[in-house]
Amino acid sequence: ETLNLPVSGDGKFEIRGVPSGSYELFATMRAARTNAGPTGPNLTWIARTTFDIADQDIDNISLVLGPGVDLKGKLTVQGNSSGLNHSLSLRANDGSPAEGFHSPRIDGETFVFDNVPEGSYAITVSTRGERGAYVADIRSASRSILGESIVVGNSNPEPIEIVLNTNGVSVPITVSGTTDNPPTVVLVPQPSHRKNPHRYWQTTVNDPSGRVTVD
């Protein structure tokens, strides 16, 4: 259920008829311009809490809205970086109302995701301009976090480092046999690298000869 509280109100609310169970409660406030409270364009303040409902009413649940924090990082390229372009995005993956993609400010090798609300996020890296480029690792506090969520709390998280490698090779593949539909080829990495989604490759073989090259 969604409630819209008046701006000039006291913040009190009541939700009736909630079935028994475990719940997570979110409160959000957005500002499209500089004003009292959140400052800057398109900022989101979020508060969240969890609670259980059994056979009696729950009173005095309190949520305190607060601004997001900055997630900082740097990009390291192993190999030839000439002509390599990249883009980054951050997406909430835990049902947070801060859903959608967040884009960073990029300054050379460093980047900042501004005002990230509390929550759990997945980071996506796209590369262009260099065949064979892939994400080799994502690190936080000298630890690999590939395949893990980035958890943002109410204080600035550890900076992250994204390592790109441009030394990937091309793999020629030939698919034998006949089929009414174009076959799909999937390359799966060895077990030690299966947490890295960027090491999986998938392509459809549209050539009648069954040949395809995975870069």
Side-chain angles (χ1 to χ4, degrees):
E1 184 172 344
T2 301
L3 299 177
N4 293 315
L5 303 181
V7 175
S8 58
D10 58 9
K12 293 182 179 180
F13 62 91
E14 182 177 2
I15 303 175
R16 297 177 178 270
V18 181
S20 298
S22 298
Y23 293 88
E24 189 164 23
L25 182 65
F26 291 94
T28 64
M29 180 172 62
R30 293 181 173 88
R33 61 185 183 276
T34 300
N35 54 18
T39 57
N42 302 315
L43 297 188
T44 301
W45 284 27
I46 286 182
R48 63 197 298 175
T49 189
T50 58
F51 60 91
D52 295 321
I53 293 181
D55 55 357
Q56 61 183 7
D57 294 341
I58 296 180
D59 297 321
N60 300 321
I61 293 179
S62 178
L63 298 98
V64 180
L65 290 162
V69 298
D70 292 343
L71 175 61
K72 301 180 180 181
K74 71 174 183 177
L75 190 91
T76 301
V77 179
Q78 297 174 339
N80 180 23
S81 62
S82 177
L84 178 66
N85 295 311
H86 65 276
S87 61
L88 309 175
S89 61
L90 200 64
R91 184 179 179 87
N93 58 13
D94 62 350
S96 166
E99 60 186 351
F101 290 98
H102 300 254
S103 298
R105 291 184 291 110
I106 299 178
D107 183 9
E109 295 181 348
T110 63
F111 58 87
V112 180
F113 289 95
D114 293 309
N115 192 57
V116 180
E118 180 180 352
S120 174
Y121 296 85
I123 191 166
T124 300
V125 186
S126 300
T127 59
R128 301 177 301 277
E130 179 68 29
R131 296 179 65 180
Y134 65 96
V135 178
D137 203 359
I138 300 177
R139 303 168 182 163
S140 176
S142 301
R143 184 180 68 87
S144 176
I145 58 170
L146 269 172
E148 299 180 14
S149 296
I150 297 174
V151 179
V152 175
N154 56 11
S155 60
N156 288 331
E158 291 283 348
I160 61 175
E161 179 185 13
I162 299 173
V163 182
L164 300 181
N165 193 310
T166 62
N167 295 322
V169 298
S170 298
V171 180
I173 297 172
T174 301
V175 179
S176 302
T178 59
T179 177
D180 294 333
N181 298 312
T184 297
V185 174
V186 180
L187 293 185
V188 179
Q190 64 187 37
S192 61
H193 295 301
R194 288 181 184 172
K195 285 187 176 182
N196 185 351
H198 302 281
R199 288 182 180 253
Y200 290 77
W201 295 89
Q202 176 175 315
T203 188
T204 301
V205 183
N206 293 305
D207 190 319
S209 67
R211 297 187 181 94
V212 68
T213 298
V214 179
D215 296 319

